[in-house]
Amino acid sequence: MTVFTATLISRRSRMISQVFILSSKGDRLVYKDFRGDVGSDAVGLFYDKVTAPTGDRLPVVTTYKDVHFVHVWQGGLYLVATTTTADSPPFAIIEFLNRLAALINDYCGSLSEKTVQMNFALIYELLDEMLDFGYVQSTSCDVLKNFIQTEALSSRPFSLFDLANVGLFGADTQQSKVAPGSAAARPMQGGKSEIFVDVVERMSVVMGANGVLMKAEVEGEVKVKCFLPSCSEIRVGLNEDLSIGTSPLRGYGAAVRVDECHFHPAVRLDDFDAHRVLRFGPGQGEQSVMTYRLADHLPLAPPFRLFPAIEKDNAGRLLMFFKLRCDLPPKSAAVDVSATVRVPKGCVSLSQELSSPDQSAELRPQHRAVVWNIARFPGGTQLSALFKLDVPALSSASMMEVGPVDLTFELPKVTASGLRVRFLRLAPAQHRGPAQRWVRYVTRSDSYAIRI
Amino acid sequence: MPYLGNDDTVKDLKRVLSNPHVQSDQLRYRNAILKVIRIMSQGVDVSSLFSEMVKACATVDIVQKKLVYVFLCSYASLNPELSLLVINTLRKDCQDPNPMVRSLALRNMTNLRLPSLMEYVEQPLTAGLRDRAACVRRVAVLGWAKLHKLQPNSEIDGAVVNELYSLLRDPDPVVMVNCLRALEEILKEEGGVAINKPIAHHLLNRLKECDVWGQSEVLKILQRYQPHSEDELFDILSLLDASLVSPHTPVMAATLSLFLSLCSTLPAVSLAALERVRGPLLAACGSASREIRFTVLCHIQLLLRSVPGLMGAHYKRFFCGYAEPAYIKQRKMQVLVELVNDDNVAMLLDELKEYCTDVNTDTAQAAISAIGRIGRSYSDRCLVILTGLLGLKQENITSAVVQTMRDLVWVSPQCSDTVCNALEGCEEILHDSQGKQALLWLLGTYGDKVFSAPYTLEAFIDGVRCETSSAVKMELLTATLRLFLCRPAETQDMLGRLLHYGIEEETDMCVRDQALLYYRLLQCGVDETRKVVQGRRSDPSLGVLIGRPAEPVSQWAHIFNTLTPLCQITSETELVNSSFQHTSYQPNSDLSDAMNACQLQSIEESVGEHTQSPSDILVTSTIVPLSLLPTLTPAEFEHLWIQGITHTEKEQDGVCMIEHVQCHNVTHSSSQSFQAAMQLVNIQTLAFTPINVLPWRVYLYTHTEAPPCSTLILGELLYTGNANEEEDAFEHTKGYHDANIIVVGEQIERKANHEEDVTLEGKNKSDLTKDNGQVAKLKVTLKQKPRDDKALRGFLSILTTVLHTLSPEGE
């Protein structure tokens, strides 16, 4: 019986028929047909599905007659693959589309409608080398770079600010030791020899009204973005006291701990056990060298704590008084903090009293939410806000509808797990010019919910 | 979207492309071609430029060549004759010293998809298979598959197939994988590429060289291989162990798929593989790509069908993020419902409660119905939340809550009191037809418990002329008729008005027919009507679906790592839908009941019994009606239990009995499935030890309602593990010898003989399949008050049957 079903499955082909990229408005930016078994009207069909008034994001897989559309939504673009059989492996197709997005990002500097439009020839070339007859051939930057001939066009217009970095006689001034945010967003072909090691962490937290952590989780990634013309080996040293899983702590004091971690297959871990050093030969473009996860016991207190007070005033308005405290160390600060407070249905207007001028708040009735934005929030400080909401037919039951508060933020130069890069060494063989080395840390919120 | 006036654009381009000045300037030429491709990919028809583009093909500039090929491959099928011109250039390129040019030419030659050009293509393809450069061989191998697809009916060239088979040994891993792909397509009719032992081992050994995509492809094809011996099988499995926990989801999924197909006869190994893959799956759940997250969730749902307890401790990983799209949130909730157990139910409900007020109404509704489903196992906690939500007085929430309550009451009738109390006032908030139907169903079915039911119905009847939904009207008819049967004085007048409206004024045929039917039914007399309209109020057998026994892996293994789980409406939502339906076709089922009603009622009832319970054989042989009511609180139970232990000998009206029952794996089944199965036969379980903890204990009770008197039975199931259970059992039987001798009588002797055989068998079996589950020997202690041997015996046989049905293999 099982033999029979197995042969049945293999009889049908399982590959990608077409790949296309649509802008969020439905403009067809790139379209390539690999097998010719699905008509080109598939794009239109897919767009109809996207715009269908379901009110929510399109599910990952949609089916129309025999055609299955698998899509990935990134950078405001739909990257879509079609296939004719339901037996196609979803993990492989989605990972392929993600990889395509990452490659476009690597080659063009960013993934957006504009860069795709400018570089469509390059993207056709990429697709041509990545897929043949719908089968993935290669997606590694190192292999592809031998085949790709078209040069990427950067969407960054010429600006006088670029000249600001150039000192006398065209020498780099190196005024700041901090890599500009746009530094990594540049195409990989072209000149400068630079390497970026980014430690990016995503935090997801659920906190009770009394400040008790109900869930705390950190997903981290060490990414290496390499623009070195040739480099045989990189060594990245992590905290020496890093312990993994439940292995005994090293040294004394607050050791850095992660629950589990995975490495890129190319990473050599000879020195990892003894000295926590990752060794690898970097490829061009961006690679995720190590991913790790930490749950429940974070080494530091959660970065934000909220003290809410909700009541009804005599005029029948809903008063929400929030004190938000940032528990980061005083030297660091959170940026782009935005707190979304869910409010009862039918709120008509909002009046606000905010504790400092660089904050703002607005009511979004269609989302039933008040959004409180804080551009910069230094550690160890506290902000407060008073929101008065006019809610017709405010009942005591509507008070139950207030909350939770969801925070989104970015913590530059902070890792929630405490992971640090001790050193970054390039193999000595390849010094043709001074390679610039950057190590950056950032923690972003994945979902940071505080109950009220 | 095609631009207006694109005809002009195309004409302009045509002029530019044929301008000799442009042609001589490489940069301008390339830019013009770029423009063509740009508008082509926007969907403009540029086929009229074909001849100019063919000309542009003959160039040394590779970028330009590539661009032109993009164009040619899209339009070749429209211009077969002109395409002949390209072939010459392509064939010349195939001789080029640069391997990149050769592969490019070869690839595009086969991409033109023109059957007429076949004869020109075959020769370069054959040469390509033997090319020095791997990139050319890769293209050539797939080229043969493309040729075959163009002419599927043509004779398969044996020489090519042989060559492809021999290229499986090519040093380049991509060439190897491409050979597999090509052979798979060419030999489709014969069932794909033949995987014999040498090929399989060759592929396995080279798996490490392939990249992620190649690996998942090879693993998929290896599913067809049948190892010749168990040793070989285990060698393969241990070789693949590293891929099973690969951080790359495509490899991990393909490996698991292969494991499951290889081990289809070894369930224990499959289960071990599922355990092993838990870590990587959970890691992928937190992936930065939401599409991967969604895919993983869908596949986890499959796994949970076979191993319900797999992720129980990791429930927090499935909490929804605020910004996640609704489709992920809803899947996560479906998973959360499956994960609920005694330890996490409080946290889980707390989290689900937060989602109930979500801005997205679908998400909110999904959260509410998730709570309802948990309510089948933990009714008290959930009812508190649900009634609390009614306090919000929001239309969509109230509607969802009322529907959920209706579904809950249908499977767990013990909730009916709380639900009935909560219904007051809901009618003012409900405006959608689904919610109204649910409310009407509850009012009709439990009208005797809701004080205000007649007044609520009267309001509906007064507004019936403005009601647009015929489903609501039909539900209203049924509800009013049912209420009339239990509270005639208050309802008679309004029923009359409603029937009058339905028969005289209603334009919808279905509603009118139903009104007529009820009218005629009433003419037959109230007793007849009662027989027809008042059926069962609940069907606990549906409840067993929540804690349904673990499915064998083979049920879903073939759809693992396919698109099916992603598009599938999961069984759960199907269930919700079907339960939505059951009310809407409730009137119809009444109709069919009405047809049968003239026949013997009793027959119908026994049929009902039959279909209702899986343990029908025993139940029918020794019918002991069991009932859950009146309910016993845990405290009362404890009191009675202790009292029973100390006073059994003295009190004449009570009896204590100890029995041993053999069954597989009961201790492994989750508490919900156990509880659900017990409720199905009206046995209430009160307390559990968690799964796989020794000693494993369950306390339960029921009431027997045999004619002379009704009795209360309390029970304890105890499993201490295999070692000490023998003496334990012996002592106990001795101790209570006099108490249970009458009860057990001949049954125990029969069982004893039987048991010995079974234990021997079982021992052997458990040696063979260690993980698979031992034969558990449960000690069952029962206490009955007042004494009724027949009822107790009946109860025991029901219990035994349920325990046996719970164990996956049975006996």
Side-chain angles (χ1 to χ4, degrees):
Chain A
M1 186 59 205
T2 45
V3 184
F4 179 64
T5 47
T7 42
L8 255 186
I9 287 162
S10 66
R11 287 188 140 221
R12 288 185 267 154
S13 43
R14 327 170 300 121
M15 68 300 291
I16 295 167
S17 293
Q18 300 161 324
V19 172
F20 50 88
I21 301 179
L22 291 190
S23 74
S24 52
K25 297 192 293 290
D27 293 331
R28 194 164 97 168
L29 304 178
V30 169
Y31 166 84
K32 195 159 168 67
D33 188 349
F34 291 95
R35 294 183 60 89
D37 44 14
V38 177
S40 62
D41 54 340
V43 183
L45 287 174
F46 179 78
Y47 185 63
D48 289 344
K49 298 242 179 200
V50 171
T51 47
T54 49
D56 195 53
R57 284 241 165 285
L58 192 70
V60 177
V61 176
T62 46
T63 304
Y64 181 80
K65 287 188 180 158
D66 289 343
V67 187
H68 305 274
F69 300 90
V70 183
H71 86 274
V72 162
W73 161 261
Q74 276 198 27
L77 299 172
Y78 292 98
L79 284 79
V80 192
T82 61
T83 169
T84 50
T85 56
D87 288 330
S88 315
F91 288 106
I93 296 182
I94 291 170
E95 282 289 7
F96 168 77
L97 291 173
N98 281 334
R99 184 74 197 131
L100 176 65
L103 278 172
I104 295 175
N105 199 18
D106 278 352
Y107 271 94
C108 310
S110 70
L111 179 68
S112 68
E113 187 176 343
K114 198 169 174 198
T115 47
V116 170
Q117 255 172 357
M118 290 178 75
N119 292 296
F120 71 95
L122 175 81
I123 294 169
Y124 272 119
E125 211 181 338
L126 268 176
L127 275 175
D128 204 33
E129 299 295 343
M130 286 167 82
L131 283 176
D132 192 8
F133 205 37
Y135 295 106
V136 185
Q137 300 294 303
S138 175
T139 56
S140 120
C141 246
D142 291 319
V143 177
L144 289 172
K145 75 174 179 208
N146 301 321
F147 294 96
I148 303 302
Q149 303 285 321
T150 316
E151 293 211 345
L153 303 168
S154 174
S155 64
R156 220 145 43 98
F158 172 79
S159 115
L160 283 174
F161 289 109
D162 292 343
L163 294 178
N165 284 334
V166 181
L168 269 183
F169 311 116
D172 265 1
T173 49
Q174 282 290 314
Q175 279 166 345
S176 72
K177 276 286 175 199
V178 182
S182 63
R186 80 165 68 108
M188 54 180 275
Q189 301 158 324
K192 261 189 175 175
S193 93
E194 277 181 314
I195 181 162
F196 297 84
V197 174
D198 293 345
V199 182
V200 183
E201 297 193 343
R202 290 180 294 128
M203 233 186 156
S204 70
V205 167
V206 178
M207 200 190 281
N210 49 3
V212 174
L213 274 185
M214 298 161 100
K215 171 192 171 183
E217 206 174 281
V218 173
E219 311 257 357
E221 199 176 3
V222 179
K223 285 198 232 178
V224 172
K225 196 161 189 174
C226 175
F227 301 110
L228 302 173
S230 68
C231 176
S232 58
E233 190 182 73
I234 293 183
R235 293 199 291 155
V236 177
L238 304 177
N239 314 42
E240 235 168 335
D241 57 356
L242 172 71
S243 66
I244 291 162
T246 49
S247 69
L249 295 180
R250 295 159 167 245
Y252 303 97
V256 179
R257 189 184 64 86
V258 298
D259 283 343
E260 51 194 70
C261 64
H262 300 280
F263 301 96
H264 191 277
V267 177
R268 287 184 296 281
L269 297 170
D270 318 344
D271 291 347
F272 187 73
D273 281 337
H275 304 294
R276 299 298 186 220
V277 175
L278 307 171
R279 296 166 51 193
F280 55 96
Q284 292 285 304
E286 190 170 298
Q287 279 173 333
S288 164
V289 178
M290 169 177 160
T291 57
Y292 55 93
R293 208 182 76 80
L294 172 62
D296 290 337
H297 302 287
L298 303 186
L300 302 170
F304 295 99
R305 178 104 200 255
L306 184 81
F307 303 92
I310 314 268
E311 56 191 51
K312 210 161 78 167
D313 75 352
N314 300 330
R317 282 186 305 182
L318 183 67
L319 301 185
M320 303 195 296
F321 182 70
F322 292 122
K323 266 197 288 188
L324 187 62
R325 194 175 74 200
C326 180
D327 287 337
L328 291 173
K331 277 181 201 163
S332 13
V335 295
D336 295 336
V337 182
S338 153
T340 311
V341 189
R342 203 189 296 150
V343 295
K345 205 173 184 177
C347 283
V348 281
S349 68
L350 166 77
S351 65
Q352 57 200 17
E353 289 167 26
L354 303 171
S355 60
S356 69
D358 59 342
Q359 308 168 43
S360 67
E362 59 170 326
L363 174 70
R364 294 194 184 146
Q366 76 278 21
H367 293 115
R368 270 169 53 204
V370 170
V371 182
W372 175 22
N373 292 310
I374 304 152
R376 195 184 132 82
F377 197 169
T381 59
Q382 182 167 297
L383 295 175
S384 62
L386 175 66
F387 300 112
K388 293 180 188 163
L389 289 155
D390 280 322
V391 191
L394 182 75
S395 66
S396 52
S398 0
M399 312 281 276
M400 283 166 59
E401 285 183 71
V402 179
V405 178
D406 189 74
L407 289 175
T408 58
F409 52 82
E410 195 173 307
L411 312 176
K413 295 187 244 173
V414 172
T415 52
S417 66
L419 192 84
R420 291 272 149 187
V421 173
R422 264 190 304 141
F423 60 80
L424 166 62
R425 288 191 194 131
L426 310 178
Q430 59 88 47
H431 273 304
R432 286 197 311 193
Q436 288 186 7
R437 292 171 289 177
W438 304 105
V439 179
R440 300 181 295 185
Y441 304 94
V442 67
T443 298
R444 297 199 177 95
S445 58
D446 199 18
S447 165
Y448 194 100
I450 305 175
R451 303 275 174 73
I452 290 185
Chain B
M1 302 295 104
Y3 295 122
L4 288 175
N6 54 43
D7 280 352
D8 293 342
T9 330
V10 176
K11 264 180 210 150
D12 277 352
L13 277 172
K14 196 178 182 104
R15 212 179 48 243
V16 172
L17 282 173
S18 46
N19 181 345
H21 293 296
V22 174
Q23 286 178 4
S24 60
D25 181 347
Q26 205 183 19
L27 211 61
R28 278 173 75 192
Y29 204 19
R30 195 202 277 184
N31 277 336
I33 291 166
L34 261 177
K35 240 175 240 162
V36 176
I37 309 292
R38 185 190 301 269
I39 61 171
M40 182 187 94
S41 53
Q42 284 161 352
V44 178
D45 179 19
V46 284
S47 54
S48 55
L49 300 175
F50 199 85
S51 53
E52 282 77 17
M53 293 299 268
V54 169
K55 221 175 281 168
C57 178
T59 168
V60 286
D61 179 9
I62 294 190
V63 177
Q64 180 174 336
K65 234 185 228 307
K66 285 189 171 181
L67 287 172
V68 174
Y69 287 153
V70 171
F71 176 92
L72 292 181
C73 291
S74 319
Y75 288 109
S77 47
L78 301 176
N79 293 295
E81 294 83 30
L82 280 173
S83 306
L84 259 178
L85 299 175
V86 195
I87 277 291
N88 270 332
T89 324
L90 285 170
R91 285 185 63 135
K92 205 168 82 217
D93 280 355
C94 284
Q95 314 289 332
D96 197 280
N98 182 349
M100 208 203 302
V101 176
R102 290 201 300 273
S103 69
L104 186 67
L106 205 53
R107 180 162 59 223
N108 287 292
M109 200 184 271
T110 45
N111 277 350
L112 291 174
R113 295 198 202 109
L114 287 175
S116 54
L117 300 183
M118 290 263 297
E119 47 183 317
Y120 306 100
V121 179
E122 280 187 9
Q123 190 270 324
L125 271 185
T126 318
L129 286 181
R130 298 184 194 124
D131 199 284
R132 298 185 310 282
C135 64
V136 183
R137 292 198 301 272
R138 292 176 185 177
V139 173
V141 168
L142 279 184
W144 284 106
K146 295 181 200 168
L147 279 198
H148 179 75
K149 182 156 186 281
L150 270 182
Q151 296 194 319
N153 301 321
S154 65
E155 189 99 337
I156 300 167
D157 186 352
V160 173
V161 171
N162 282 339
E163 184 125 20
L164 288 177
Y165 268 117
S166 67
L167 275 176
L168 283 177
R169 312 234 165 235
D170 194 278
D172 183 72
V174 181
V175 174
M176 175 185 85
V177 179
N178 277 356
C179 277
L180 282 178
R181 294 160 167 165
L183 285 169
E184 195 73 2
E185 296 218 4
I186 295 171
L187 303 175
K188 207 187 280 181
E189 299 298 312
E190 299 164 22
V193 52
I195 302 288
N196 55 22
K197 193 168 171 178
I199 292 184
H201 286 225
H202 172 71
L203 292 177
L204 281 167
N205 287 330
R206 296 195 54 187
L207 200 59
K208 288 276 168 292
E209 299 168 32
C210 303
D211 60 0
V212 177
W213 323 105
Q215 285 188 23
S216 50
E217 201 92 28
V218 171
L219 290 167
K220 178 80 191 173
I221 285 174
L222 279 175
Q223 283 191 21
R224 206 136 8 101
Y225 179 62
Q226 294 279 312
H228 298 296
S229 69
E230 202 147 273
D231 285 346
E232 190 191 353
L233 171 68
F234 283 107
D235 282 347
I236 295 178
L237 294 186
S238 54
L239 199 65
L240 291 175
D241 189 63
S243 329
L244 194 58
V245 289
S246 159
H248 300 287
T249 46
V251 178
M252 183 261 294
T255 317
L256 183 61
S257 214
L258 177 60
F259 257 74
L260 297 181
S261 85
L262 285 177
C263 307
S264 53
T265 53
L266 302 169
V269 185
S270 309
L271 288 182
L274 296 184
E275 290 277 342
R276 188 114 172 75
V277 92
R278 171 171 53 196
L281 275 178
L282 283 171
C285 261
S287 157
S289 153
R290 62 168 117 187
E291 286 81 9
I292 285 289
R293 260 192 250 182
F294 174 73
T295 316
V296 172
L297 282 173
C298 296
H299 283 86
I300 284 180
Q301 283 186 304
L302 289 182
L303 259 63
L304 289 178
R305 280 162 60 177
S306 289
V307 202
L310 190 65
M311 310 270 180
H314 304 273
Y315 63 99
K316 283 187 185 174
R317 311 290 287 266
F318 301 97
F319 283 4
C320 300
Y322 182 82
E324 278 178 323
Y327 62 84
I328 291 191
K329 284 188 181 171
Q330 286 162 22
R331 288 279 173 165
K332 281 193 168 171
M333 286 185 232
Q334 291 170 1
V335 173
L336 282 175
V337 169
E338 302 282 330
L339 299 185
V340 71
N341 62 34
D342 291 357
D343 301 330
N344 61 23
V345 62
M347 279 292 273
L348 229 154
L349 284 174
D350 204 34
E351 183 72 17
L352 281 173
K353 202 171 91 185
E354 292 294 318
Y355 309 151
C356 292
T357 46
D358 198 281
V359 184
N360 183 316
T361 50
D362 287 341
T363 308
Q365 188 163 1
I368 292 168
S369 75
I371 292 178
R373 285 177 60 80
I374 294 176
R376 297 174 188 189
S377 314
Y378 301 94
S379 48
D380 294 345
R381 292 162 183 269
C382 295
L383 282 173
V384 170
I385 297 179
L386 290 175
T387 42
L389 286 170
L390 286 178
L392 290 177
K393 300 208 180 300
Q394 292 223 345
E395 187 191 331
N396 65 322
I397 293 180
T398 309
S399 164
V401 170
V402 174
Q403 289 173 53
T404 304
M405 283 180 161
R406 171 199 60 194
D407 297 343
L408 183 61
V409 164
W410 182 250
V411 291
S412 31
Q414 69 272 21
C415 306
S416 62
D417 286 333
T418 324
V419 168
C420 290
N421 288 334
L423 287 180
E424 308 268 342
C426 286
E427 70 277 358
E428 291 158 21
I429 303 154
L430 288 172
H431 292 293
D432 65 317
S433 62
Q434 291 279 6
K436 282 184 193 169
Q437 284 176 58
L439 178 65
L440 287 171
W441 187 86
L442 282 167
L443 289 177
T445 317
Y446 289 97
D448 49 339
K449 294 188 185 174
V450 187
F451 174 74
S452 65
Y455 309 101
T456 314
L457 282 187
E458 186 153 34
F460 271 104
I461 291 169
D462 290 342
V464 74
R465 285 180 179 77
C466 312
E467 179 59 55
T468 48
S469 153
S470 58
V472 172
K473 288 182 197 167
M474 301 215 289
E475 196 65 63
L476 182 61
L477 272 168
T478 315
T480 318
L481 186 63
R482 281 184 179 155
L483 194 64
F484 169 69
L485 293 175
C486 59
R487 297 166 78 166
E490 295 154 286
T491 327
Q492 188 175 10
D493 174 55
M494 61 175 100
L495 177 64
R497 273 190 288 141
L498 182 64
L499 285 176
H500 182 268
Y501 163 80
I503 295 165
E504 299 289 330
E505 294 178 44
E506 179 58 48
T507 49
D508 187 297
M509 283 304 153
C510 298
V511 181
R512 192 162 69 186
D513 285 350
Q514 197 172 2
L516 269 173
L517 177 81
Y518 286 162
Y519 180 67
R520 290 180 193 136
L521 196 58
L522 284 166
Q523 282 178 327
C524 300
V526 171
D527 288 337
E528 294 301 315
T529 316
R530 186 164 281 138
K531 275 185 205 161
V532 174
V533 185
Q534 281 188 328
R536 277 185 303 177
R537 282 171 163 191
S538 61
D539 183 3
S541 72
L542 275 176
V544 82
L545 289 173
I546 18 154
R548 54 191 175 245
E551 277 180 45
V553 173
S554 57
Q555 290 275 319
W556 51 264
H558 63 282
I559 55 165
F560 191 84
N561 199 17
T562 69
L563 297 181
T564 323
L566 280 82
C567 352
Q568 211 175 29
I569 313 165
T570 55
S571 55
E572 187 168 348
T573 40
E574 259 167 4
L575 197 92
V576 172
N577 287 345
S578 75
S579 58
F580 282 149
Q581 276 163 16
H582 83 73
T583 40
S584 55
Y585 68 64
Q586 195 70 35
N588 298 344
S589 73
D590 283 344
L591 282 179
S592 65
D593 279 0
M595 314 272 275
N596 296 332
C598 358
Q599 290 156 22
L600 276 175
Q601 173 91 17
S602 56
I603 290 177
E604 198 206 315
E605 257 182 19
S606 69
V607 168
E609 286 273 343
H610 257 286
T611 48
Q612 174 188 358
S613 91
S615 54
D616 46 66
I617 306 157
L618 264 163
V619 175
T620 41
S621 64
T622 54
I623 293 176
V624 185
L626 301 179
S627 148
L628 291 175
L629 299 170
T631 17
L632 218 58
T633 64
E636 284 166 352
F637 180 89
E638 200 180 329
H639 178 70
L640 284 169
W641 183 258
I642 293 168
Q643 207 182 32
I645 283 185
T646 46
H647 297 291
T648 349
E649 266 89 348
K650 289 176 230 160
E651 278 183 41
Q652 280 306 304
D653 55 350
V655 67
C656 173
M657 149 181 177
I658 293 173
E659 177 63 91
H660 287 84
V661 178
Q662 273 194 325
C663 49
H664 289 275
N665 255 350
V666 162
T667 51
H668 298 293
S669 62
S670 74
S671 51
Q672 302 102 293
S673 66
F674 189 84
Q675 186 168 24
M678 286 298 171
Q679 275 190 357
L680 167 67
V681 289
N682 282 343
I683 300 174
Q684 180 67 47
T685 40
L686 273 177
F688 295 95
T689 44
I691 311 172
N692 293 341
V693 172
L694 289 177
W696 180 82
R697 255 180 235 274
V698 175
Y699 289 99
L700 41 81
Y701 75 86
T702 188
H703 301 270
T704 61
E705 286 181 337
C709 59
S710 69
T711 69
L712 170 66
I713 299 183
L714 311 179
E716 179 203 47
L717 309 184
L718 173 67
Y719 174 64
T720 46
N722 274 336
N724 50 4
E725 140 250 47
E726 290 291 343
E727 322 112 61
D728 208 43
F730 183 65
E731 266 174 38
H732 276 284
T733 14
K734 221 175 169 185
Y736 291 108
H737 190 65
D738 42 359
N740 60 22
I741 190 158
I742 318 163
V743 181
V744 183
E746 54 180 82
Q747 226 175 5
I748 201 162
E749 279 169 31
R750 195 153 38 85
K751 243 195 158 81
N753 293 335
H754 183 60
E755 244 165 41
E756 268 173 22
D757 301 345
V758 178
T759 355
L760 275 175
E761 261 178 47
K763 282 262 158 62
N764 292 338
K765 221 187 214 168
S766 68
D767 284 342
L768 272 177
T769 57
K770 277 203 176 110
D771 282 304
N772 201 16
Q774 311 97 337
V775 183
K777 201 169 191 184
L778 288 180
K779 189 178 108 184
V780 181
T781 315
L782 297 177
K783 296 183 182 175
Q784 188 187 29
K785 199 176 178 182
R787 181 175 185 152
D788 179 353
D789 297 341
K790 212 178 119 201
L792 191 58
R793 210 158 39 227
F795 168 75
L796 187 66
S797 65
I798 295 176
L799 183 68
T800 324
T801 324
V802 178
L803 289 174
H804 284 209
T805 32
L806 262 177
S807 47
E809 285 153 318
E811 287 189 38

